[in-house]
Amino acid sequence: MQRYILRRLLLMIPTLLGVSFVVFVIVRAVPGDVVDLIAGDFGAADPATKDAIRKEFGLEGNIISQYIRWLGDIVQFDLGKSLISGRTVTSELSNRLPVTFQLGLMAIFFSLLIAVPIGIISAIRQDTWADFVGRSFAIGLLAAPGFWLAILLISMAGRYFTWGVPPTTYVEFTDNPIGNLKLMLVPSLILGGGLSGSVMRFTRSTMLETLRQDYIRTAWSKGLQERVIIVRHAMRNALIPVVTVVGLQLPILVGGTVIIESVYSIPGMGRYYIAAIDSKDYPVIQGINIIVATVVVFSNLGVDLLYSVIDPRIRYS
Amino acid sequence: MAAEYWDRYARERRSRRRFLGGAVATGAGAAGLALVGCGDDDDDDATPKSGLATNTPAPNATPTPTDPYAGAKRGGTYKADQAGDPPTIDPYGNLSFLTKGFSAFIYSRLFKYNAGAGVKKSDLLPVGDLAESSEASPDGLTWTIKLRKDAKFHNVAPVNGRAVTSDDVKFSWGRATAEANTNRSQLAFVDKVEYPDASTVKFTLKAPNAAFLDVLADANLLWIMPTESKGKFNPAQQAIGSGPWMLDSYQPSVVIKYKKNPAWHVPGFPLMDAIESAIIPEYANRLAQFQAGNTDVSGVTAEDIVSVKKAMANINLYGEVSQLLSMVFFDPDPASPWAKDPRVKQAVSMAIDRAGLMDLGYNVKKLKAEGLAVSERWNNLIPAGMERFWLDPTGSAQGETKKYFEYNVKEAKALLAAAGFANGFETVYQYTANRYGAAFNAIAEAHIGFLNEIGIKTTTDVQDYASKYVTQTFVGNFKGIAFGYETPFPEGGSYPNRMFTENASNHSKIVDAELAALATKQQQELDPAKRKEMFFEIQRKNAAKMHYVPSNAGAGTGWTAFQAWVKNIDVATVPGSYGGGTETAPYRWLDK
């Protein structure tokens, strides 16, 4: 097991290097020069100004030398400084990552809370009204775009039930748990609802498949109670592929937070990312991508390791 | 003539002093919070776009028998909103309006605008902020400015409330004209600056400049920072100025909190204790916060204004025309149809249904039917909101060229035919749709139909603002026809200077000796009436050739809604000056 983990950790290095290089090149390949943007429209064509800016922000030299310089900083956990604000990316992300992390965790929690029971009930009551209603509900959540739902809910709250308007400003959970949840609950429900559709569909199909296994038939023939068969024998096996799906949803979740954080004014990483892309803030874009890539490769490893916890038959060597 | 001009400013200063004296005695003052979010990327249709709207004191207004501040209440926290973070809180760190808007709360300038109750927009002029007096030499080339003795920086370490001196002006001038500061080109007309003593600054200009005090009042340019900003504290992380507000805290993407500067050099102000500006990017959320009573002020779109007013009967609405010029402009390619025959540009102008655009972008008919006072003025080369220099394109003063502003498809087609394009031609039409908001986008799309209607077959290129529009198209590196906003300059002279003289941002690379000469001449004309007539002439001459075709995005009324308890809302400062933190915020009060 330890060797397996070590091997996976080593394999992450080329993956992250590849991601970092691709991102580094792509952000610079986008038409337009960040120096023009920093210079603004007053002095856009003044070469002296541009050179001064390029020098000030370390953008001189070819792309390879810039990449090597940046990589050298990264291995020292220095993600660089924002070209726009001058603040360090590391300090910005250290404030914003926990916010996005909380939102993501709550979204996954709500996703599972909605998807797993509905998926299981739909499977064990296949083709009944409960199945139809449950599936329709989950598909409905999948079909409704999160940003649309968010704006609709906020607009309706402002007009018809002002108690439902989220707080104006974000507070940390540790400072004010109720104030924090007042802001985070609805966006995480919207995000979780969006994710729950596919998880529900997957849970239902794997549950149906599991319920048709011989050992389940044996359990029925032994006269075991339905609750015992479902919870102890079927569900545990059926959830293994579901864990994979949830793991694969993490990058999608990061994408979802980008919009929802802006709508609900949550000071997370997604909002920071949007602003960085808008202003071609290379260090921020690169920093966030490398963080997201790291989270994704580690979560994939975590998901793989979780298999062995859920199903003791799985062993890594 | 120069003497008359400077006398006028002297009169302004004297009347300001009188006013302020009265204000102290009566506890009066003037006006409102200026917007931080004007220029908000996505909501240009709600002029002062964000919470800290654009109203101002009445410093140099003729004192009226009724003291507008007799019933003013002190204290309280004003809850506003803004659409985004300032990219940096260092006033020289970025060109963003969000940085400049923030700076207006914290920092002083040498001059500011005299906006306030009783001051018409057409009369908005610079008055002293840190400057106590200013004297010009008879030739208008030398300006001697005396600083106020009572102006002090905030009582925060390491500056600790010391007096503002000419050393601070010297330091700030150095930052404003530093090589990496792209705004320095706006100050290039200054030959040298001398600092004879601690309270005197002497500017020598290369040529007389009618807009000199406007430049010093321009919230884009010269903020006075303490010399300690270099080395003793980092102005990108800590803001210490001499303005009416002190930075209490700034939580990026959450809220900026200001508290009043008790030692501000305008005694008795600010009236409120604090301002909290929540950073809320989404318009729907900002509106909901206002509807729930969580904020005291918010920009509301023309689409929503009627329903909001109906649902919240007690709120007060403030409508204002921004100083925002939108224009159709053309590539500088000598082989293009418009280069071959200038009638093509006239045809394009006549293809535009400007009245229809006002309705499309600003809901004019419906709002008028609801009894709201909406502007129906059209942009000329000078935006409709800049009353000081604007020439009504529908009025008789526009002369013969008035016809080119009329919507006349038949005549437009005839002009095209006469230019040799009876069957029209194909071209690219470009604009950006991710910066200026819904009203702009709707109007930009409508232009496609107008062009098509007269036979100009367009391929539309909707450009990303950052990567293409502002860095390529806006500076003239494009093919075809483009549509966009001009930078909202607080002083009219910048428009012809930018558009007709040789500079990087002459968007269409127009070479027109007559207009270029007029653009330079107006800047040196010190007689206000003559200068105004030059502006009118520039607008007429542009219309004759339609080098730039003015359109009506930016010409309509933008709306700000205030809760009933917010007082002193109905005064206006210079839209686009970003200076409201100093010019208006200290004078507003809450009556809860």
Side-chain angles (χ1 to χ4, degrees):
Chain A
M1 181 74 150
Q2 283 173 343
R3 286 188 61 191
Y4 172 78
I5 294 173
L6 187 65
R7 200 168 68 236
R8 287 289 298 270
L9 288 174
L10 288 173
L11 279 171
M12 283 179 192
I13 294 171
T15 307
L16 291 175
L17 273 175
V19 168
S20 69
F21 186 72
V22 168
V23 170
F24 196 89
V25 171
I26 282 179
V27 294
R28 282 161 177 76
V30 173
D33 188 345
V34 67
V35 174
D36 288 330
L37 208 60
I38 296 169
D41 57 69
F42 288 110
D46 177 355
T49 303
K50 285 186 187 178
D51 287 345
I53 291 170
R54 205 163 266 123
K55 195 174 174 188
E56 185 177 334
F57 290 104
L59 297 170
E60 74 272 40
N62 62 39
I63 196 166
I64 299 296
S65 64
Q66 286 184 47
Y67 176 69
I68 291 169
R69 263 204 313 270
W70 178 70
L71 209 59
D73 292 338
I74 290 286
V75 295
Q76 298 171 64
F77 300 102
D78 177 3
L79 295 172
K81 272 186 183 174
S82 161
L83 299 178
I84 308 299
S85 71
R87 293 191 285 268
T88 65
V89 179
T90 313
S91 67
E92 281 282 348
L93 288 182
S94 65
N95 291 327
R96 292 169 184 272
L97 256 178
V99 179
T100 300
F101 191 62
Q102 182 195 348
L103 187 64
L105 271 186
M106 287 177 68
I108 289 174
F109 172 76
F110 286 123
S111 161
L112 294 175
L113 198 68
I114 296 165
V116 173
I118 292 177
I120 290 169
I121 290 167
S122 286
I124 59 181
R125 299 284 181 267
Q126 189 185 9
D127 297 335
T128 64
W129 66 267
D131 182 20
F132 294 137
V133 170
R135 281 157 64 191
S136 301
F137 176 68
I139 298 300
L141 287 177
L142 180 66
F147 73 91
W148 172 80
L149 204 56
I151 290 173
L152 188 73
L153 279 175
I154 284 185
S155 298
M156 288 180 68
R159 187 74 191 269
Y160 302 111
F161 47 97
T162 51
W163 53 264
V165 173
T168 316
T169 52
Y170 169 85
V171 287
E172 286 184 26
F173 185 81
T174 46
D175 290 343
N176 180 352
I178 293 174
N180 175 278
L181 290 177
K182 266 187 180 174
L183 178 61
M184 300 292 265
L185 195 67
V186 176
S188 55
L189 260 170
I190 291 171
L191 274 178
L195 295 176
S196 66
S198 52
V199 179
M200 187 285 294
R201 295 284 299 176
F202 210 72
T203 306
R204 181 177 178 274
S205 61
T206 55
M207 194 70 184
L208 281 172
E209 199 180 316
T210 308
L211 287 173
R212 288 176 186 131
Q213 297 292 318
D214 289 346
Y215 67 91
I216 298 293
R217 200 172 297 116
T218 306
W220 283 115
S221 62
K222 279 164 67 181
L224 292 178
Q225 286 182 333
E226 184 184 33
R227 185 177 57 82
V228 175
I229 294 168
I230 300 299
V231 175
R232 242 187 236 175
H233 298 279
M235 212 169 82
R236 199 160 174 180
N237 287 312
L239 284 183
I240 294 172
V242 174
V243 170
T244 311
V245 171
V246 172
L248 291 174
Q249 280 183 332
L250 276 173
I252 301 169
L253 191 61
V254 172
T257 62
V258 168
I259 303 297
I260 213 86
E261 282 178 2
S262 287
V263 174
Y264 276 88
S265 196
I266 296 168
M269 197 173 67
R271 215 169 126 188
Y272 190 42
Y273 195 35
I274 285 274
I277 290 172
D278 201 34
S279 53
K280 293 168 74 76
D281 197 342
Y282 298 158
V284 177
I285 300 169
Q286 290 158 194
I288 292 177
N289 271 294
I290 204 76
I291 293 285
V292 170
T294 308
V295 168
V296 168
V297 292
F298 271 98
S299 63
N300 280 346
L301 174 62
V303 166
D304 288 348
L305 297 178
L306 204 58
Y307 289 155
S308 63
V309 177
I310 297 171
D311 186 348
R313 291 171 303 177
I314 297 172
R315 290 279 179 274
Y316 294 110
S317 59
Chain B
M1 198 49 65
E4 277 179 39
Y5 184 76
W6 312 137
D7 284 351
R8 185 167 176 235
Y9 276 109
R11 282 198 302 276
E12 296 293 346
R13 286 199 307 279
R14 281 196 295 275
S15 56
R16 172 171 170 71
R17 281 203 206 100
R18 278 202 303 274
F19 178 87
L20 290 176
V24 175
T26 58
L33 272 196
L35 88 150
V36 161
C38 146
D40 154 16
D41 295 355
D42 295 315
D43 293 293
D44 68 314
D45 34 2
T47 305
K49 306 202 164 140
S50 83
L52 306 179
T54 35
N55 299 335
T56 306
N60 75 334
T62 306
T64 54
T66 311
D67 176 2
Y69 303 99
K73 291 190 175 177
R74 293 182 177 275
T77 298
Y78 185 68
K79 299 202 170 182
D81 62 37
Q82 63 186 78
D85 285 288
T88 172
I89 59 171
D90 179 347
Y92 295 105
N94 195 276
L95 297 183
S96 167
F97 64 92
L98 288 164
T99 290
K100 307 302 179 189
F102 168 86
S103 303
F105 289 84
I106 305 292
Y107 296 95
S108 303
R109 288 158 280 167
L110 290 178
F111 282 80
K112 60 185 176 185
Y113 280 99
N114 64 330
V119 181
K120 289 182 190 172
K121 270 196 186 176
S122 52
D123 293 335
L124 289 169
L125 288 168
V127 290
D129 187 359
L130 286 175
E132 187 176 59
S133 68
S134 57
E135 274 185 45
S137 60
D139 60 4
L141 285 175
T142 306
W143 282 85
T144 305
I145 292 172
K146 290 278 182 190
L147 302 180
R148 298 177 67 118
K149 301 275 191 311
D150 57 351
K152 292 174 182 169
F153 285 110
H154 301 158
N155 191 9
V156 177
V159 183
N160 300 319
R162 70 166 176 79
V164 180
T165 72
S166 60
D167 278 347
D168 302 303
V169 180
K170 184 179 182 181
F171 170 75
S172 304
W173 182 259
R175 291 211 65 196
T177 54
E179 201 172 53
N181 189 333
T182 54
N183 273 353
R184 76 184 195 285
S185 61
Q186 306 288 297
L187 303 167
F189 67 90
V190 177
D191 187 31
K192 62 178 177 177
V193 189
E194 295 160 283
Y195 309 91
D197 60 55
S199 61
T200 309
V201 183
K202 192 175 160 189
F203 290 88
T204 305
L205 314 186
K206 292 172 184 168
N209 191 321
F212 176 60
L213 295 186
D214 288 277
V215 167
L216 294 185
D218 186 342
N220 283 298
L221 300 174
L222 183 63
W223 296 103
I224 306 304
M225 304 176 75
T227 52
E228 289 87 344
S229 309
K230 188 176 183 182
K232 293 193 176 167
F233 73 94
N234 181 357
Q237 291 173 347
Q238 195 179 2
I240 306 173
S242 56
W245 307 94
M246 300 161 71
L247 181 61
D248 191 4
S249 65
Y250 170 35
Q251 208 179 340
S253 298
V254 180
V255 66
I256 303 174
K257 292 183 180 178
Y258 307 92
K259 58 185 177 187
K260 81 171 180 183
N261 172 13
W264 191 38
H265 50 265
V266 180
F269 298 94
L271 293 170
M272 297 180 295
D273 286 340
I275 298 168
E276 289 182 11
S277 188
I279 297 159
I280 305 173
E282 174 57 44
Y283 167 72
N285 195 354
R286 292 198 297 274
L287 183 59
Q289 298 294 348
F290 179 76
Q291 288 171 313
N294 297 341
T295 51
D296 295 329
V297 59
S298 199
V300 181
T301 64
E303 289 300 315
D304 289 330
I305 200 74
V306 172
S307 62
V308 168
K309 181 66 183 163
K310 280 181 179 165
M312 302 175 77
N314 291 329
I315 62 167
N316 294 309
L317 296 178
Y318 177 77
E320 182 179 66
V321 180
S322 63
Q323 287 186 175
L324 211 46
L325 168 65
S326 61
M327 74 247 166
V328 174
F329 54 109
F330 304 85
D331 77 34
D333 183 356
S336 62
W338 38 88
K340 286 178 184 162
D341 194 312
R343 283 174 290 190
V344 172
K345 291 180 179 177
Q346 294 164 348
V348 168
S349 183
M350 295 184 86
I352 296 173
D353 176 3
R354 290 175 170 82
L357 291 183
M358 291 299 282
D359 204 37
L360 176 70
Y362 302 97
N363 212 9
V364 167
K365 279 183 194 158
K366 188 177 176 188
L367 299 191
K368 269 180 82 178
E370 293 288 337
L372 289 165
V374 288
S375 169
E376 294 182 84
R377 297 195 302 260
W378 295 355
N379 277 335
N380 206 323
L381 188 76
I382 298 297
M386 187 173 268
E387 292 176 33
R388 197 167 145 195
F389 301 116
W390 172 73
L391 174 65
D392 181 358
T394 64
S396 56
Q398 183 71 43
E400 272 193 24
T401 55
K402 175 182 162 183
K403 66 182 177 191
Y404 296 125
F405 285 89
E406 287 164 6
Y407 177 48
N408 189 337
V409 174
K410 193 179 165 191
E411 183 59 25
K413 283 181 174 174
L415 282 169
L416 271 189
F421 299 100
N423 297 319
F425 55 84
E426 291 184 9
T427 192
V428 178
Y429 170 73
Q430 51 233 298
Y431 64 98
T432 181
N434 63 343
R435 181 61 54 154
Y436 299 132
F440 175 88
N441 293 347
I443 288 173
E445 282 178 35
H447 283 143
I448 300 169
F450 296 145
L451 292 171
N452 293 166
E453 199 175 5
I454 60 167
I456 300 175
K457 294 171 267 301
T458 51
T459 305
T460 304
D461 178 13
V462 181
Q463 301 175 339
D464 173 57
Y465 176 83
S467 64
K468 194 165 180 188
Y469 177 75
V470 79
T471 51
Q472 301 293 321
T473 306
F474 193 63
V475 291
N477 299 327
F478 70 102
K479 291 283 287 179
I481 298 175
F483 177 61
Y485 277 135
E486 178 56 285
T487 303
F489 299 106
E491 210 283 327
S494 301
Y495 289 89
N497 269 338
R498 155 103 84 154
M499 295 165 132
F500 300 120
T501 64
E502 191 183 340
N503 70 87
S505 302
N506 177 338
H507 317 292
S508 291
K509 310 298 175 205
I510 299 293
V511 180
D512 183 321
E514 203 178 9
L515 273 164
L518 264 174
T520 306
K521 207 173 162 192
Q522 61 78 21
Q523 205 75 10
Q524 295 173 11
E525 177 54 64
L526 305 178
D527 181 320
K530 281 187 179 172
R531 187 166 183 238
K532 189 169 184 174
E533 183 46 45
M534 282 182 185
F535 271 97
F536 286 2
E537 190 59 17
I538 287 169
Q539 290 170 85
R540 282 189 287 262
K541 284 193 182 300
N542 176 70
K545 294 178 182 172
M546 281 296 171
H547 289 306
Y548 297 93
V549 178
S551 186
N552 276 348
T557 305
W559 298 94
T560 305
F562 295 85
Q563 303 287 2
W565 52 80
V566 182
K567 301 300 176 189
N568 207 17
I569 68 162
D570 55 350
V571 288
T573 186
V574 180
S577 82
Y578 311 143
T582 300
E583 288 155 9
T584 71
Y587 307 97
R588 186 158 291 162
W589 77 87
L590 304 172
D591 188 6
K592 282 193 178 178

